[in-house]
Amino acid sequence: MSKESRKFQVPDALANLYDFANTLDVRRFTHFGVEHPESDELSGPKDLADWMRERGLGAKRGHVTPAMFETALRMREALRAYLQCEPSERLRNKSVLGALNDALAPFPLRVEAHAGRGATLSAAREDALAGLSVIAIELHDATLVGTLDRLKMCASEECRRVFFDRSKPSTRRWCMSTLCGNRMKTRAYRERQREAK
């Protein structure tokens, strides 16, 4: 788990997925006079290898090649597009599902039966990207237990940060109501005032 996933109390079972989706930071707003710059933690193969190693997903064999790096970025882009959809719409959006399936295809999983504890999923890959199969496993497991619906993308166009919705009814739209929610509500109020004139 990262400091960020701990801070926002993301369950351990979703922490790698949450962190991976948020390696791309497209927030572009000013808060208390400080402009938030857009950034990408994964600017090259070395950054991806470092990111995986920090989370215990490090490569056992080889190094991350430029082609592997592009595969990982496609996976991240497809995950973000999936999480941007409302949970009730995710399984109906054929183009988003198709892109996600295509992006997950290079991360095959192996089912392994264990005496006394059932079966587990593990990476079938054995190269430098094997660790990213954990993201596919977290996606699968969260779908089964229903926690994936709580992983959402902030509705603010200026933010688009992935967050874990801890609210009881699971109806949050913004990563932080005091920041993004307040900004969106204030903007909507001002637009209504302008239209009323």
Side-chain angles (χ1 to χ4, degrees), residues 7-197:
K7 176 182 174 183
F8 292 108
Q9 301 174 349
V10 177
D12 289 353
L14 279 173
N16 290 307
L17 176 56
Y18 167 87
D19 287 338
F20 186 64
N22 281 323
T23 57
L24 180 64
D25 187 348
V26 296
R27 293 178 287 182
R28 56 184 197 286
F29 54 78
T30 302
H31 183 60
F32 293 124
V34 177
E35 189 173 332
H36 189 287
E38 295 183 33
S39 65
D40 190 344
E41 286 182 57
L42 308 179
S43 59
K46 183 185 179 313
D47 290 336
L48 176 60
D50 291 345
W51 184 89
M52 289 192 299
R53 196 168 25 264
E54 287 170 8
R55 285 156 183 78
L57 308 174
K60 291 180 179 147
R61 292 191 188 177
H63 68 283
V64 177
T65 65
M68 290 175 172
F69 177 66
E70 291 302 318
T71 298
L73 291 185
R74 277 193 297 280
M75 181 185 188
R76 181 180 68 180
E77 180 181 350
L79 282 170
R80 286 181 60 83
Y82 178 80
L83 295 173
Q84 185 173 341
C85 295
E86 288 292 325
S88 60
E89 296 298 316
R90 289 176 181 170
L91 299 179
R92 294 186 194 136
N93 192 323
K94 290 182 182 178
S95 65
V96 167
L97 285 175
L100 182 59
N101 287 332
D102 290 346
L104 291 171
F107 299 93
L109 304 175
R110 178 183 301 121
V111 179
E112 296 177 83
H114 304 279
R117 29 177 215 130
T120 59
L121 291 174
S122 62
R125 287 183 81 126
E126 295 182 357
D127 61 8
L129 284 190
L132 286 187
S133 296
V134 169
I135 307 295
I137 293 167
E138 286 185 8
L139 182 71
H140 171 267
D141 292 350
T143 302
L144 290 180
V145 298
T147 54
L148 190 61
D149 287 351
R150 290 187 173 270
L151 206 59
K152 303 174 180 180
M153 188 174 284
C154 184
S156 171
E157 290 291 332
E158 297 167 330
C159 181
R160 292 301 187 206
R161 187 96 175 134
V162 172
F163 69 96
F164 186 76
D165 184 355
R166 300 191 71 75
S167 69
K168 193 169 184 177
S170 187
T171 55
R172 272 182 50 198
R173 297 187 57 228
W174 302 289
C175 60
M176 294 179 66
S177 59
T178 56
L179 182 62
C180 292
N182 189 44
R183 192 170 51 249
M184 296 294 287
K185 290 173 187 176
T186 301
R187 186 173 298 139
Y189 172 78
R190 287 179 182 154
E191 286 176 14
R192 284 194 305 273
Q193 294 300 310
R194 272 196 301 271
E195 289 170 6
K197 290 181 182 180

